[in-house]
């Protein structure tokens, strides 16, 4: 088992190395000249040349890659062109807000998607199942930016049930100021017992979280349904039926547990996908996370910021996959035999 | 061909899987509408750069069923022409990525050894990026346009096909008929082309139909972010982006193109799901 674990970790390390190299090449090919940014638009030719020299932009590619790598090890992702801050600092502020949003969406995905999948499997091939299949497929197929615009117009602008945009009501900052620990506003408010800000945050969170959750809910419902239907063809189900258990009881007590593994594995993949999807949603709701940051970076052709986001999300993805695989090797004896 | 697409099985499934059948018919209609856009659309010139400032942002009426956009172009016409753009992108992306992926995967799976290792490790690196993310970064490098969207999305999509066909090729490598082909002295490229490749086609076809919806959504997302198709091309994601400023008052400019994306992606996904169940030999049709 140890060699299996080590081999899996080694493989992940190899992929990380490849990801770093690919991001480096992307960053070098991205438009936008760091020397121009460093010196300002009105710099003379000599100043530009000096800046290029200082930034090492004239060095051979392998030398540049070496500088990039050593920089990364010191946490240096470069300086953003549009915020003029180190990219790492920007991300440290933006990532928690995104994780708050995507985390809420994943909770919704499990709370709504799982029961939907069970419902579909229980009434397989009947009307209810048809509705579950259609509904979950619609959720998977909807363009999230369009859903965001539509829900914002209907539920926020027209009906006024939810706030149009923002993370929480900023006017509360004077009456009940928030102490920031983690930058996850809901968590900070909860820990410090700041109930007004917590309420405001949750209220603001509903619309963007529902939009971001659309895809995960659909995927989880589909996977759960498929896994349960496949599991229902197993011999133990025939046994349980013969013993007189009711269909729903068989599903929940006996079939769900062996079938749930692949669904949970999938959640890790969906998490990264959803993190990227937030690029299309956050800007619409003015949510101060990585999606808004990326959308701004794209608009201002901000090379270091785009490269930084690409690297960080890819790393989150690789590490997430690794964690799921390792957990499975440790928990599930069947996974060790592969 | 019947070895790849079991026609009888498909026909029996059409009767059982109503949703997939409806989706297939709807897709046929969408493809036809795209092909016949110049003849079907009420104002063919509006599909490209024509402008009618006097007709700006008219609501849906008898002469403009879906209203007009900010420069007075008929929204219905632009949606029909947008179908051409979307289907072109889907076809090109899937063709490129399936070709490259299947070729690399078969080589990796059949050759094995260090060649296979190198190919599959590169594949793993590309798979470490969520599709939209890498497409975004690539699209920023290239100049926005339909061609850019195709290249950027294809670059993120081929690894899936490589992984699929690598597994399929590995599965047949040790089979007797491949061994005998080798003993007969067939050159390697012929063995790969004639004996390894056909066996990896069924999973690839299923994957193609499952992926089409995802490609539509990614392409729409790229143009929505201003990195895909650009004016005056008709593209659904671009139309949503252009209409969102005036969405509160002129709902039709955003609503109809969004619905077009939703319906097309939905049909592709439904059809893909149905095909997967029909063609997956492990799955029992009930």
């Amino acid at each position: 088992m140890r060699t299996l674990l080590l081999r899996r970790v080694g493989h992940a390390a190899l992929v990380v190395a490849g990801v770093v190299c690919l991001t480096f090449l992307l960053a070098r090919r991205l438009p936008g000249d760091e020397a121009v940014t460093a010196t300002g638009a009105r710099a003379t030719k000599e100043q530009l040349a000096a800046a290029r020299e200082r930034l090492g932009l004239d060095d051979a590619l392998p030398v540049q890659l070496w500088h990039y790598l050593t920089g990364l090890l010191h946490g240096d992702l470069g300086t953003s062109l549009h915020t003029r801050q180190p990219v790492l600092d920007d991300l440290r502020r933006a990532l928690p807000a995104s994780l708050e949003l995507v985390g809420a969406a994943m909770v919704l995905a499990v709370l709504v998607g799982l029961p939907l999948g069970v419902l579909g499997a229980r009434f397989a091939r009947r009307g209810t199942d048809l509705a579950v299949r259609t509904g979950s497929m619609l959720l998977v197929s909807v363009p999230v930016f369009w859903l965001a615009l539509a829900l914002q117009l209907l539920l926020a602008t027209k009906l006024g049930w939810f706030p149009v945009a923002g993370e929480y009501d900023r006017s509360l900052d004077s009456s009940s100021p928030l102490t920031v620990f983690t930058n996850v506003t809901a968590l900070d408010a909860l820990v410090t017992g700041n109930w007004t800000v917590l309420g405001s945050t949750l209220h603001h969170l509903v619309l963007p979280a529902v939009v971001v959750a659309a895809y995960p809910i659909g995927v989880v419902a589909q996977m759960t349904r498929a896994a349960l239907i496949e599991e229902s063809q197993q011999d133990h189900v025939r046994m349980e039926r013969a013993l007189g258990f009711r269909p729903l009881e068989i599903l929940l007590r006996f079939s769900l547990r062996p079938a749930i593994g692949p669904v949970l594995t999938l959640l890790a993949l969906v998490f990264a996908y959803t993190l990227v999807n937030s690029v299309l949603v956050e800007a619409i709701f003015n949510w101060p996370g990585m999606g808004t940051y990326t959308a701004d970076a794209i608009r201002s052709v901000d090379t270091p910021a785009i490269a930084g986001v690409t690297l960080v999300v890819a790393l989150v993805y690789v590490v997430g996959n690794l964690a799921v695989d390792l957990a499975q090797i440790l928990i599930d004896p069947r996974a060790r035999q592969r | 061909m019947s070895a790849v697409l079991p026609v009888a099985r498909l026909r029996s499934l059409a009767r059982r899987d109503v949703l997939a059948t409806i989706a297939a018919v709807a897709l046929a209609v969408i493809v036809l509408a795209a092909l016949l856009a110049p003849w079907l659309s009420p104002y063919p010139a509006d599909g490209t750069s024509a402008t009618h400032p006097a007709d700006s942002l008219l609501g849906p009426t008898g002469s403009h069923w879906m209203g007009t956009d900010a420069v007075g172009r008929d929204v219905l016409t632009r949606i029909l022409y947008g179908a051409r753009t979307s289907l072109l992108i889907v076809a090109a992306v899937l063709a490129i990525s399936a070709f490259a992926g299947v070729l690399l995967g078969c080589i990796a799976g059949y050759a094995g050894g260090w060649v296979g290792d190198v190919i599959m490790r590169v594949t793993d690196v590309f798979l470490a990026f969520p599709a939209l993310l890498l497409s975004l970064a690539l699209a920023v490098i290239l100049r926005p346009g339909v061609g850019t969207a195709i290249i950027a999305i294809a670059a993120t999509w081929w690894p899936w096909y490589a992984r699929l066909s690598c597994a399929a090729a590995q599965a047949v490598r040790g089979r007797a008929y491949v061994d005998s082909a080798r003993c007969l002295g067939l050159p390697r490229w012929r063995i790969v082309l004639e004996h390894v490749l056909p066996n990896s086609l069924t999973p690839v076809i299923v994957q193609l139909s499952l992926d089409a919806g995802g490609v539509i959504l990614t392409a729409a997302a790229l143009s929505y972010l201003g990195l895909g198709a650009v004016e005056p091309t008709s593209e659904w994601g671009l139309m949503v982006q252009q209409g969102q400023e005036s969405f509160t008052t002129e709902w039709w400019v955003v609503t109809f193109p969004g619905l077009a994306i939703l319906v097309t992606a939905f049909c592709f996904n439904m059809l893909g799901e149905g095909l997967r169940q029909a063609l997956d030999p492990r799955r029992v049709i009930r």
Side-chain angles (χ1 to χ4, degrees):
Chain A
M1 187 163 97
R2 181 188 260 165
T3 49
L4 190 63
L5 286 175
L6 281 179
R7 198 187 303 152
R8 187 63 191 79
V9 173
H11 177 239
L14 213 62
V15 171
V16 167
V19 165
V20 170
C21 289
L22 193 59
T23 321
F24 166 75
L25 287 177
L26 277 175
R28 280 291 158 271
R29 296 288 308 155
L30 284 169
D33 191 335
E34 281 178 68
V36 176
T37 324
T39 49
R42 265 182 251 142
T44 60
K45 255 193 192 131
E46 289 75 31
Q47 282 173 314
L48 264 181
R52 291 189 70 83
E53 172 85 38
R54 183 162 43 81
L55 292 166
L57 292 175
D58 293 328
D59 294 341
L61 215 55
V63 180
Q64 288 194 37
L65 177 61
W66 174 248
H67 288 308
Y68 180 70
L69 281 177
T70 44
L72 277 188
L73 290 179
H74 293 98
D76 178 13
L77 288 172
T79 307
S80 159
L81 306 188
H82 79 279
T83 63
R84 306 214 161 251
Q85 302 279 323
V87 173
L88 192 69
D89 290 356
D90 283 344
L91 286 180
R92 220 176 261 158
R93 257 189 305 273
L95 196 58
S98 282
L99 290 180
E100 180 179 24
L101 181 59
V102 176
M106 296 318 268
V107 171
L108 274 177
V110 174
L111 287 185
V112 181
L114 215 61
L116 273 182
V118 173
L119 207 66
R122 166 66 186 85
F123 299 104
R125 311 246 147 225
R126 276 185 262 163
T128 318
D129 183 33
L130 216 63
V132 168
R133 277 178 66 200
T134 313
S136 58
M137 200 54 105
L138 278 174
L139 288 175
V140 172
S141 311
V142 73
V144 280
F145 52 90
W146 179 75
L147 185 65
L149 289 169
L151 289 186
Q152 187 184 43
L153 178 68
L154 273 178
L155 302 181
T157 312
K158 297 273 181 210
L159 294 172
W161 292 354
F162 299 101
V164 174
E167 197 182 13
Y168 63 94
D169 193 350
R170 291 284 167 184
S171 64
L172 294 172
D173 275 346
S174 50
S175 57
S176 45
L178 180 71
T179 329
V180 174
F181 292 113
T182 58
N183 269 317
V184 180
T185 308
L187 202 65
D188 287 343
L190 187 69
V191 170
T192 53
N194 194 336
W195 308 121
T196 37
V197 170
L198 181 64
S200 172
T201 308
L202 292 180
H203 197 201
H204 280 75
L205 189 60
V206 174
L207 268 190
V210 165
V211 172
V212 172
Y215 180 82
I217 290 177
V219 171
V220 167
Q222 287 179 347
M223 278 294 286
T224 310
R225 175 185 170 275
L228 283 178
I229 287 182
E230 202 161 303
E231 189 69 26
S232 68
Q233 291 165 358
Q234 299 284 328
D235 287 338
H236 71 83
V237 173
R238 194 176 304 169
M239 177 72 177
E240 286 137 21
R241 214 175 286 150
L243 287 172
F245 286 105
R246 275 169 304 151
L248 192 64
E249 212 177 350
I250 297 179
L251 276 180
L252 293 178
R253 272 181 66 177
F254 302 107
S255 297
L256 195 57
R257 205 186 298 182
I260 205 73
V263 180
L264 293 182
T265 313
L266 188 84
L267 268 185
L269 301 180
V270 173
F271 185 84
Y273 181 93
T274 312
L275 202 57
V276 180
N277 246 357
S278 69
V279 175
L280 301 166
V281 177
E282 283 183 3
I284 294 173
F285 291 106
N286 205 7
W287 191 263
M290 218 170 58
T292 305
Y293 182 68
T294 311
D296 288 344
I298 292 170
R299 214 165 296 128
S300 49
V301 201
D302 186 345
T303 310
I306 296 172
V309 169
T310 310
L311 184 66
V312 167
V313 174
L315 289 184
V316 168
Y317 195 51
V318 174
V319 172
N321 269 335
L322 178 67
V324 169
D325 279 0
L326 292 186
Q328 232 169 18
I329 292 174
L330 290 175
I331 295 167
D332 188 348
R334 285 176 299 181
R336 281 174 219 161
Q337 280 150 19
R338 264 184 282 144
Chain B
M1 201 55 198
S2 60
V4 181
L5 278 176
V7 177
R9 208 170 169 186
L10 279 182
R11 204 172 287 153
S12 80
L13 193 98
R15 245 172 278 131
R16 285 158 208 264
D17 196 341
V18 189
L19 285 178
T21 314
I22 295 174
V25 173
L27 268 183
V29 172
I30 293 171
V31 171
L32 261 181
L35 288 175
L36 300 177
W39 296 277
L40 283 179
S41 46
Y43 306 92
D46 291 4
T48 51
S49 52
T51 52
H52 319 280
D55 299 334
S56 169
L57 294 171
L58 297 176
T61 54
S63 51
H64 296 284
W65 291 357
M66 295 184 182
T68 61
D69 67 5
V71 292
R73 292 175 300 201
D74 183 51
V75 171
L76 174 60
T77 303
R78 288 189 75 71
I79 284 186
L80 286 171
Y81 274 84
R84 299 187 135 200
T85 315
S86 289
L87 294 178
L88 171 73
I89 294 177
V90 169
V93 165
L94 293 183
I96 295 173
S97 41
F99 180 77
V102 170
L103 196 66
L104 286 172
C106 281
I107 292 174
Y110 180 69
W114 67 269
V115 180
D117 274 345
V118 168
I119 294 179
M120 291 326 287
R121 289 303 85 80
V122 172
T123 308
D124 286 342
V125 170
F126 275 86
L127 281 177
F129 296 90
L132 181 60
L133 183 71
L134 190 56
S135 311
L136 273 180
L138 282 172
V140 175
I141 298 177
L142 307 161
R143 295 179 62 193
V146 173
T148 295
I150 291 173
I151 295 170
I153 302 173
T156 66
W157 233 277
W158 67 270
W160 297 103
Y161 296 97
R163 187 175 268 190
L164 261 181
S165 43
C166 176
Q170 275 172 342
V172 299
R173 185 167 53 177
R175 296 279 176 80
Y177 70 90
V178 174
D179 281 343
S180 47
R182 196 167 35 222
C183 291
L184 285 171
L186 274 156
R188 285 181 135 203
W189 63 268
R190 274 195 64 185
I191 299 180
V192 169
L193 218 60
E194 291 171 17
H195 300 288
V196 178
L197 196 73
N199 279 295
S200 65
L201 281 188
T202 306
V204 166
I205 287 177
V206 172
Q207 194 60 38
L208 280 174
S209 58
L210 283 169
D211 280 351
V215 172
I216 293 245
L217 288 175
T218 312
L222 279 184
S223 358
Y224 172 76
L225 290 170
L227 298 171
V230 286
E231 272 291 312
T233 314
S234 298
E235 212 278 346
W236 297 332
L238 184 65
M239 290 169 80
V240 172
Q241 188 252 318
Q242 289 168 340
Q244 71 175 359
E245 286 305 320
S246 59
F247 189 30
T248 37
T249 43
E250 283 87 27
W251 55 272
W252 55 89
V253 191
V254 166
T255 307
F256 293 118
L259 275 177
I261 304 172
L262 172 61
V263 169
T264 314
F266 176 81
C267 289
F268 270 122
N269 283 335
M270 257 317 175
L271 181 66
E273 201 48 47
L275 275 183
R276 179 169 71 179
Q277 284 185 13
L279 297 178
D280 186 351
R282 284 174 310 156
R283 223 173 260 271
V284 203
I285 301 182
R286 295 190 303 161

